[in-house]
Amino acid sequence: MGNEQLEELRSKLDEVNLKLLDTINERAKLVQDIGRVKNAQGVNRFDPVRERKMLDLIAANNEGPFETSTLQHLFKQIFKAGLELQEDDNRKVLLVSRKKHPEDTIVNIKGETIGDGKQRLIAGPCSVESYEQVASVAKVLKEQGLKLLRGGAFKPRTSPYDFQGLGLEGLQILKRVADEFDMAVISEIVDPRDIETAVEYIDVIQIGARNMQNFELLKAAGSVNKPVLLKRGLSATIEEFINAAEYIISKGNGNIILCERGIRTYEKATRNTLDISAVPILKQETHLPVVVDVTHSTGRRDLLLPTAKAALAIGADAVMTEVHPDPAVALSDSAQQMDFEQFAKFMGDLRESGLYKL
Ligand code: PEP
Ligand code: MN
């Protein structure tokens, strides 16, 4: 008799467990629905006032045998699991992810496309030093069929005593050269307050490695209608890099180009360690074009050609490198910029390799 009763009670317990299971999952679905509404409204998912009200409701209706404090503890766990579920949902739908947008994003820079399968080259001096300097580089690039010219006007230097760039005057020089040579210019902006002005002079806003997690700068760049070249941070993981791009797209600007520029490791043979496998990973995870900066990743002129070949072979949408009329007297990065002769040889060798087709 006792055994039969025990079995009956156990089977009732199983039934209640299954009811609890259904109820908990029903609650989870409601939590997901609420999460989607909150997401659309842009409001915070965690709402402590609402949570307090739910706990009070439980306390007011508890008829035992559990102590209210025990029940509140249990419900807190359920609330927490619900919040985590909403966060997981959110993570899955990053706007930069392929899951959200399977087609490749093609960034159009004054008619020059990046991300459509044609592999481009971007080149120019590390720093804008004078009109004559930039114009002479532009002429050489143009002869090689390049349209994308880079040059730094605001230079984020490791030492405050090093050349900091010409600032606005540098942007004005870039615009003049872009107009005269019918080229598009890429330049780094370091202060969110300069974004509005910069868009009048340049065609692509570069966000440098040191600023990859300058969230105010990312948001400011995301709020304008201008392509952004985002560089990977010095020690940033791929996930952090992707999230930095998400800051830009979340403000409405989806014209983003990711740039692998090497990361800091214990290796001292190169300035940074070029993480070449980041290229296919970024292309699998996101729909954005990916560029490899061979100058800043290696810091070595003798490695520009082999790393450029590797970048093209692995599927980078563009390679970026630095060219200067006389690198020995350059105001920054004199060790790794190519002079015109070296650049001509670099281009010739790349073409001969069959990897660069334009
Ligand atoms: C640059 O491209 O001029 C530059 C400073 O590079 P990074 O931000 O990758 O160091
Ligand atoms: Mn440089």
Side-chain angles (χ1 to χ4, degrees):
M1 189 64 196
N3 273 350
E4 259 173 47
Q5 200 186 1
L6 189 61
E7 276 314 305
E8 204 184 310
L9 289 170
R10 278 182 171 158
S11 126
K12 276 192 182 154
L13 195 61
D14 281 342
E15 263 175 50
V16 172
N17 280 345
L18 292 176
K19 266 195 223 159
L20 267 176
L21 176 69
D22 276 349
T23 311
I24 283 179
N25 276 327
E26 191 186 333
R27 183 183 193 283
K29 284 183 194 137
L30 286 170
V31 166
Q32 282 177 314
D33 288 344
I34 292 173
R36 277 188 279 271
V37 174
K38 283 190 175 177
N39 215 23
Q41 290 176 341
V43 295
N44 211 341
R45 285 182 299 274
F46 177 60
D47 180 352
V49 177
R50 170 79 186 131
E51 204 160 279
R52 164 53 50 213
K53 276 191 187 149
M54 293 194 290
L55 289 175
D56 287 346
L57 187 71
I58 288 154
N61 287 278
N62 181 25
E63 290 172 0
F66 276 128
E67 295 271 354
T68 292
S69 62
T70 307
L71 283 170
Q72 286 186 330
H73 177 73
L74 284 173
F75 272 89
K76 271 296 279 187
Q77 294 303 311
I78 295 172
F79 297 167
K80 191 162 159 271
L83 200 61
E84 281 166 6
L85 192 66
Q86 287 179 339
E87 277 164 8
D88 278 350
D89 280 354
N90 205 40
R91 216 172 290 145
K92 275 190 212 110
V93 294
L94 276 192
L95 297 170
V96 293
S97 81
R98 279 246 180 241
K99 282 188 207 118
K100 183 84 183 171
H101 186 281
E103 311 81 38
D104 288 333
T105 285
I106 300 170
V107 178
N108 191 317
I109 309 164
K110 262 188 160 175
E112 190 84 336
T113 45
I114 294 201
D116 60 354
K118 295 193 189 98
Q119 294 177 295
R120 311 273 180 197
L121 271 179
I122 304 168
C126 182
S127 300
V128 172
E129 295 167 8
S130 67
Y131 165 76
E132 290 73 21
Q133 173 232 18
V134 182
S136 67
V137 175
K139 186 169 168 285
V140 167
L141 301 188
K142 199 133 195 216
E143 281 162 10
Q144 289 285 355
L146 272 61
K147 193 168 171 188
L148 304 168
L149 171 69
R150 61 141 287 143
F154 296 94
K155 296 303 297 178
R157 305 302 299 281
T158 301
S159 164
Y161 306 116
D162 285 341
F163 177 60
Q164 302 287 306
L166 294 182
L168 182 61
E169 189 195 342
L171 299 184
Q172 287 162 343
I173 290 172
L174 285 170
K175 172 144 179 57
R176 184 174 159 203
V177 172
D179 290 346
E180 287 174 7
F181 289 82
D182 186 30
M183 293 181 87
V185 286
I186 303 171
S187 199
E188 177 166 355
I189 300 302
V190 296
D191 189 326
R193 292 167 297 186
D194 290 333
I195 295 273
E196 288 289 334
T197 315
V199 295
E200 292 172 30
Y201 297 95
I202 60 179
D203 305 295
V204 179
I205 299 165
Q206 178 171 317
I207 295 187
R210 287 152 198 81
N211 275 316
M212 190 207 79
Q213 284 191 323
N214 181 339
F215 299 117
E216 295 312 313
L217 184 61
L218 297 172
K219 287 190 251 177
S223 307
V224 291
N225 183 19
K226 191 65 82 176
V228 179
L229 183 135
L230 175 66
K231 296 192 117 188
R232 181 173 180 181
L234 304 175
S235 311
T237 63
I238 289 176
E239 191 184 358
E240 287 163 341
F241 189 20
I242 291 175
N243 273 297
E246 187 71 11
Y247 264 90
I248 301 172
I249 203 171
S250 71
K251 288 286 165 192
N253 186 358
N255 280 316
I256 306 164
I257 302 162
L258 300 174
C259 180
E260 162 61 37
R261 46 79 71 208
I263 47 173
R264 183 161 289 185
T265 69
Y266 52 80
E267 183 50 67
K268 291 194 288 200
T270 46
R271 177 160 150 178
N272 291 288
T273 299
L274 173 59
D275 181 9
I276 198 75
S277 57
V279 177
I281 296 173
L282 291 166
K283 291 194 69 74
Q284 279 164 30
E285 299 275 320
T286 79
H287 48 81
L288 303 174
V290 181
V291 171
V292 172
D293 174 344
V294 290
T295 300
H296 297 98
S297 50
T298 64
R300 284 174 51 161
R301 210 177 276 131
D302 60 332
L303 298 181
L304 300 177
L305 179 66
T307 49
K309 284 185 189 168
L312 293 171
I314 210 163
D317 294 287
V319 168
M320 183 153 96
T321 191
E322 288 182 348
V323 179
H324 189 285
D326 187 359
V329 298
L331 291 173
S332 55
D333 280 355
S334 69
Q336 59 259 31
Q337 302 198 62
M338 287 182 275
D339 65 22
F340 295 160
E341 211 176 300
Q342 288 157 342
F343 180 64
K345 175 147 175 42
F346 171 84
M347 292 300 294
D349 288 348
L350 261 195
R351 287 202 168 95
E352 211 170 286
S353 75
L355 288 161
Y356 181 65
K357 299 193 180 70
L358 298 176

